[in-house]
Amino acid sequence: MTEKNEVLVVSDFAELAMEQFVLDLTEDEKKQFTANISATLFRLAKMNDVNKYPIKEKKRGFWYGLSHWFNEQGELIPPYDEKVG
């Protein structure tokens, strides 16, 4: 997140990790890998290391960002709010 300097969804994290670590995963492995990333982000959000913001156009899913990118009401502050529209 820090390097990209923007909020990301779980699939963004998975893609970045697969590129960074040159992972050649099967479809089943990708699904499990993505699920593991999702679980880790959930735990980090519970510990307040990251915050999550609901994806408005979907019923499920969140944007994840560093805690200091959010105001006290849990809303993204500029310029981090640009991507979530």
Side-chain angles (χ1 to χ4, degrees), residues 45-77:
K46 282 203 163 271
M47 297 182 328
N48 295 321
D49 291 335
V50 299
N51 279 11
K52 59 186 182 178
Y53 187 79
I55 299 174
K56 292 181 181 178
E57 61 272 4
K58 294 185 178 183
K59 291 183 180 181
R60 296 177 48 159
F62 295 94
W63 295 101
Y64 289 90
L66 299 175
S67 294
H68 64 274
W69 294 355
F70 292 81
N71 64 22
E72 291 179 7
Q73 292 77 34
E75 300 166 339
L76 282 160
I77 59 172

Side-chain angles (χ1 to χ4, degrees), residues 3-54:
E3 186 176 313
K4 285 284 197 179
N5 200 37
E6 64 183 13
V7 292
L8 301 170
V9 294
V10 173
S11 60
D12 294 336
F13 285 103
E15 288 176 27
L16 289 168
M18 286 188 286
E19 289 173 16
Q20 177 74 27
F21 298 108
V22 192
L23 301 175
D24 185 25
L25 305 175
T26 66
E27 283 304 311
D28 286 341
E29 291 171 331
K30 285 179 187 177
K31 287 179 185 178
Q32 184 61 51
F33 186 66
T34 302
N36 291 342
I37 291 172
S38 181
T40 300
L41 288 167
F42 179 80
R43 283 191 298 275
L44 289 171
K46 282 203 163 271
M47 297 182 328
N48 295 321
D49 291 335
V50 299
N51 279 11
K52 59 186 182 178
Y53 187 79

